[in-house]
Short mmCIF file of all heavy atoms in Angstrom, two decimals:
data_model
loop_
_atom_site.label_atom_id
_atom_site.label_comp_id
_atom_site.label_asym_id
_atom_site.label_seq_id
_atom_site.Cartn_x
_atom_site.Cartn_y
_atom_site.Cartn_z
N ARG F 145 7.55 -0.50 -19.90
CA ARG F 145 8.13 -1.18 -21.06
C ARG F 145 8.43 -0.16 -22.25
O ARG F 145 9.31 -0.41 -23.06
CB ARG F 145 7.06 -2.17 -21.59
CG ARG F 145 7.10 -3.45 -20.89
CD ARG F 145 6.55 -4.59 -21.64
NE ARG F 145 5.12 -4.36 -22.04
CZ ARG F 145 4.09 -4.74 -21.20
NH1 ARG F 145 4.34 -5.27 -19.94
NH2 ARG F 145 2.83 -4.47 -21.53
N LYS F 146 7.77 1.06 -22.25
CA LYS F 146 8.12 2.09 -23.21
C LYS F 146 9.12 3.05 -22.67
O LYS F 146 9.29 4.06 -23.32
CB LYS F 146 6.89 2.76 -23.69
CG LYS F 146 5.80 1.82 -24.34
CD LYS F 146 6.17 1.78 -25.87
CE LYS F 146 5.17 0.80 -26.48
NZ LYS F 146 5.63 0.39 -27.84
N GLY F 147 9.65 2.79 -21.52
CA GLY F 147 10.67 3.70 -21.05
C GLY F 147 10.09 4.94 -20.54
O GLY F 147 10.79 6.03 -20.41
N ILE F 148 8.84 4.94 -20.03
CA ILE F 148 8.21 6.22 -19.47
C ILE F 148 7.96 5.87 -18.04
O ILE F 148 7.45 4.83 -17.67
CB ILE F 148 6.88 6.47 -20.18
CG1 ILE F 148 7.15 6.85 -21.62
CG2 ILE F 148 6.10 7.47 -19.56
CD1 ILE F 148 5.99 6.88 -22.55
N ASN F 149 8.34 6.79 -17.14
CA ASN F 149 8.22 6.69 -15.75
C ASN F 149 6.70 6.88 -15.32
O ASN F 149 6.12 7.82 -15.73
CB ASN F 149 8.96 7.82 -15.05
CG ASN F 149 10.17 7.24 -14.39
OD1 ASN F 149 10.06 6.77 -13.26
ND2 ASN F 149 11.37 7.38 -15.07
N PHE F 150 6.13 5.90 -14.73
CA PHE F 150 4.76 6.11 -14.13
C PHE F 150 4.94 6.45 -12.64
O PHE F 150 5.66 5.75 -11.85
CB PHE F 150 3.96 4.80 -14.24
CG PHE F 150 2.56 5.02 -13.71
CD1 PHE F 150 1.60 5.49 -14.59
CD2 PHE F 150 2.22 4.79 -12.34
CE1 PHE F 150 0.36 5.65 -14.05
CE2 PHE F 150 0.93 4.93 -11.93
CZ PHE F 150 -0.08 5.35 -12.81
N ILE F 151 4.56 7.63 -12.27
CA ILE F 151 4.85 8.14 -11.01
C ILE F 151 3.68 7.84 -9.97
O ILE F 151 2.54 8.20 -10.23
CB ILE F 151 5.14 9.63 -11.10
CG1 ILE F 151 6.56 9.79 -11.70
CG2 ILE F 151 5.20 10.29 -9.62
CD1 ILE F 151 6.54 10.82 -12.90
N GLN F 152 3.98 6.95 -9.04
CA GLN F 152 3.06 6.58 -8.02
C GLN F 152 2.81 7.79 -7.03
O GLN F 152 3.82 8.41 -6.60
CB GLN F 152 3.49 5.34 -7.30
CG GLN F 152 3.67 4.11 -8.23
CD GLN F 152 2.33 3.44 -8.48
OE1 GLN F 152 1.32 3.91 -8.09
NE2 GLN F 152 2.42 2.27 -9.23
N LEU F 153 1.69 7.92 -6.59
CA LEU F 153 1.39 8.84 -5.50
C LEU F 153 1.17 8.10 -4.12
O LEU F 153 0.64 7.09 -4.09
CB LEU F 153 0.12 9.63 -5.78
CG LEU F 153 0.12 10.55 -7.08
CD1 LEU F 153 -1.18 10.57 -7.85
CD2 LEU F 153 0.66 11.89 -6.77
N VAL F 154 1.68 8.72 -3.15
CA VAL F 154 1.38 8.26 -1.72
C VAL F 154 0.86 9.41 -0.94
O VAL F 154 1.24 10.55 -1.11
CB VAL F 154 2.56 7.53 -1.05
CG1 VAL F 154 2.77 6.20 -1.77
CG2 VAL F 154 3.70 8.37 -1.04
N SER F 155 0.07 9.13 0.07
CA SER F 155 -0.50 10.25 0.88
C SER F 155 -0.45 9.91 2.30
O SER F 155 -0.16 8.74 2.72
CB SER F 155 -1.90 10.50 0.38
OG SER F 155 -2.87 10.06 1.33
N PRO F 156 -0.75 10.85 3.17
CA PRO F 156 -0.76 10.59 4.58
C PRO F 156 -1.66 9.43 4.98
O PRO F 156 -1.53 8.81 6.15
CB PRO F 156 -1.19 11.86 5.31
CG PRO F 156 -0.93 12.96 4.27
CD PRO F 156 -1.05 12.22 2.91
N THR F 157 -2.66 9.16 4.18
CA THR F 157 -3.53 8.13 4.60
C THR F 157 -3.11 6.76 4.10
O THR F 157 -3.75 5.67 4.29
CB THR F 157 -5.03 8.32 3.87
OG1 THR F 157 -4.85 8.46 2.58
CG2 THR F 157 -5.68 9.60 4.43
#
Side-chain angles (χ1 to χ4, degrees):
Chain F
R145 278 203 297 277
K146 294 275 175 193
I148 293 166
N149 254 276
F150 183 86
I151 289 130
Q152 300 279 3
L153 296 148
V154 290
S155 109
T157 58

